């Protein structure tokens, strides 16, 4: 069974909703522990382009804001469900959600 690290950038206001969605979809199981995750303070930078509907900022203007990086793990078979659940809870039009393969000897 392949494991993946899940990384999500999210505005501070939506951390709990995204963490709940992540874990309700089955992510965060480590041995006999559930809801395992880490939350880091980060600064996000973006520039909405024509045609976008930004959650924060204005089209054409470079924006920086405090965000949180939520990290957890899931099985490869859970990735689609985790992705769908996180997107449903995330306020951004184009949420940054990364799945990285883990090396587990």
């Amino acid at each position: 069974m392949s494991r993946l690290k899940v990384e999500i950038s999210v505005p501070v206001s939506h951390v709990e909703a995204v963490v709940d969605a992540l874990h309700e979809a089955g992510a965060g199981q480590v041995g006999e522990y559930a809801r395992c995750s880490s939350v880091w303070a980060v600064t996000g930078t973006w520039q909405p382009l024509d045609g976008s509907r930004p959650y924060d900022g204005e089209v054409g203007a470079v924006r920086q804001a405090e965000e949180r990086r939520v990290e957890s793990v899931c099985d490869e078979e859970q990735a689609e469900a985790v992705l769908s659940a996180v997107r449903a809870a995330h306020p951004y039009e184009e949420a940054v959600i990364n799945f990285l393969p883990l090396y587990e000897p």
Side-chain angles (χ1 to χ4, degrees), residues 8-10 25 31-32 57 67 84 90 95:
I8 308 155
S9 294
V10 62
E32 299 302 318
E67 293 181 308
S84 293
H90 203 295

Side-chain angles (χ1 to χ4, degrees), residues 8-103:
I8 308 155
S9 294
V10 62
V12 176
S13 61
H14 285 74
V15 169
E16 289 304 316
V18 168
V19 168
D20 286 345
L22 180 72
H23 295 137
E24 287 171 12
Q29 184 80 26
V30 178
E32 299 302 318
Y33 294 85
R35 295 185 62 87
C36 298
S37 61
S38 298
V39 179
W40 302 69
V42 297
T43 300
T45 304
W46 63 93
Q47 180 181 22
L49 301 175
D50 288 338
S52 66
R53 296 181 320 272
Y55 169 79
D56 187 10
E58 297 177 12
V59 172
V62 175
R63 177 85 171 100
Q64 283 190 342
E66 184 177 345
E67 293 181 308
R68 295 294 182 262
R69 171 68 53 91
V70 176
E71 297 181 357
S72 193
V73 294
C74 71
D75 294 334
E76 188 173 7
E77 296 78 22
Q78 296 171 307
E80 286 186 38
V82 168
L83 181 63
S84 293
V86 169
R87 281 188 174 154
H90 203 295
Y92 290 172
E93 181 178 17
E94 297 291 340
V96 176
I97 306 166
N98 298 319
F99 290 88
L100 308 167
L102 293 174
Y103 172 71

